[in-house]
Amino acid sequence: MKVLITGGAGFIGSNFIYYMQEKYPDYYIVCLDALTYAGNFETLEHAMKKSNFRFVKGNIADRESVFKLFEEEGFNIVINFAAESHVDRSIKDPEIFLKANVLGTQVLLDAAKEYGVDRFHQVSTDEVYGELPIDRPDLFFTEDTPLQCSSPYSASKASADLLTFSYYKTYKLPISISRCSNNYGPYHFPEKLIPLMITRALYEQPLPVYGMGIMCGIGCM
Ligand SMILES: NC(=O)c1ccc[n+]([C@@H]2O[C@H](COP(=O)([O-])OP(=O)(O)OC[C@H]3O[C@@H](n4cnc5c(N)ncnc54)[C@H](O)[C@@H]3O)[C@@H](O)[C@H]2O)c1
């Protein structure tokens, strides 16, 4: 089984590579990652020791090199973790989010269609559904919840999801899409909500409250 994991030098992708290497030691895994500010090659140090692992530095939006890689490797499975993923950065500069998250996904889908894969999995986010009211803990998101993006980041992820689904409808590309909630754990980049809050709380610094435009001190509302 030949698996392409994009964005594998990032937080979730690197954890996934280690999970796959342990669970399926015979699988040949290729990690394609542009090593943006969010990518950390060092987290893959142990993965690199396996002979059936290859790291390729490259941009998923670079059609020529992505197609070349698919031709060389003949992947069975593609799992697309690669994305610009920080909401605040998307508010400052939406364009790079559209290039990486939408156009990058399209290039991968085109390559998967051209060379054929058994499964293309798009890693998305529950942020595509927007927010639930804080006083309604009985509510939750389902696959049928309408999309209600509230940032360029979530809009770019929702666009990539719709595009992915359209490749199933139009070309019968075997796809799946997951929309997980916030993750936390090893290799988490410190700008993200959970590590940011924990680190700031440890140093007794103000905690940013998103959507309210104020900085709130520890313990106050
Ligand atoms: N972190 C979360 O809690 C969370 C929650 C829901 C969904 N997600 C989704 O999971 C995926 C992984 O999230 P993460 O937190 O690990 O992100 P991350 O920012 O830690 O890692 C992203 C990785 O993608 C790479 N990358 C970015 N643009 C690229 C491009 N154009 N070409 C190739 N590589 C590129 C970066 O170098 C980095 O290694 C993303 O698609 C994100 O939208 C994350």
Side-chain angles (χ1 to χ4, degrees):
M1 197 60 93
K2 286 190 165 187
V3 184
L4 173 64
I5 298 176
T6 69
F11 161 47
I12 307 180
S14 55
N15 279 286
F16 186 72
I17 285 172
Y18 285 118
Y19 167 82
M20 289 293 282
Q21 283 191 328
E22 197 174 322
K23 185 144 189 180
Y24 304 104
D26 298 335
Y27 283 16
Y28 174 72
I29 295 174
V30 175
C31 169
L32 172 65
D33 196 298
L35 292 181
T36 68
Y37 79 95
N40 185 357
F41 185 62
E42 283 167 26
T43 59
L44 295 175
E45 194 187 330
H46 295 292
M48 293 292 290
K49 289 180 186 149
K50 307 265 176 173
S51 58
N52 52 353
F53 179 80
R54 177 183 172 198
F55 180 83
V56 178
K57 184 172 185 294
N59 193 321
I60 57 166
D62 179 348
R63 180 170 290 265
E64 201 179 319
S65 47
V66 166
F67 271 57
K68 189 165 166 277
L69 185 64
F70 272 73
E71 190 168 352
E72 269 169 29
E73 299 289 7
F75 298 114
N76 305 98
I77 297 175
V78 177
I79 303 159
N80 183 25
F81 288 95
E84 288 292 340
S85 67
H86 189 49
V87 174
D88 293 3
R89 285 178 193 260
S90 80
I91 292 164
K92 288 195 188 102
D93 186 2
E95 193 174 337
I96 55 167
F97 283 72
L98 298 188
K99 283 185 179 151
N101 301 0
V102 185
L103 297 179
T105 301
Q106 188 222 338
V107 168
L108 290 172
L109 286 163
D110 279 347
K113 173 168 80 72
E114 177 77 18
Y115 293 99
V117 294
D118 300 328
R119 172 70 69 94
F120 182 102
H121 183 75
Q122 173 68 7
V123 179
S124 185
T125 168
D126 68 345
E127 297 219 14
V128 297
Y129 298 124
E131 289 160 22
L132 289 171
I134 199 160
D135 55 349
R136 291 292 308 276
D138 55 311
L139 296 180
F140 49 88
F141 299 130
T142 73
E143 285 87 345
D144 301 321
T145 304
L147 300 180
Q148 212 165 20
C149 303
S150 44
S151 70
Y153 163 67
S154 54
S156 70
K157 295 297 289 185
S159 305
D161 293 0
L162 296 177
L163 202 58
T164 303
F165 191 67
S166 80
Y167 274 61
Y168 162 67
K169 282 292 225 187
T170 311
Y171 308 111
K172 300 287 170 263
L173 187 73
I175 62 105
S176 48
I177 301 168
S178 54
R179 289 172 171 162
C180 65
S181 191
N182 276 347
N183 288 238
Y184 65 96
Y187 311 130
H188 210 174
F189 200 78
E191 73 181 353
K192 296 291 172 58
L193 181 68
I194 294 169
L196 181 83
M197 290 295 182
I198 292 171
T199 317
R200 282 177 165 262
L202 283 173
Y203 288 98
E204 299 201 357
Q205 289 174 351
L207 307 178
V209 178
Y210 292 87
M212 294 177 69
I214 58 162
M215 297 291 278
C216 188
I218 296 169
C220 77
M221 289 298 288

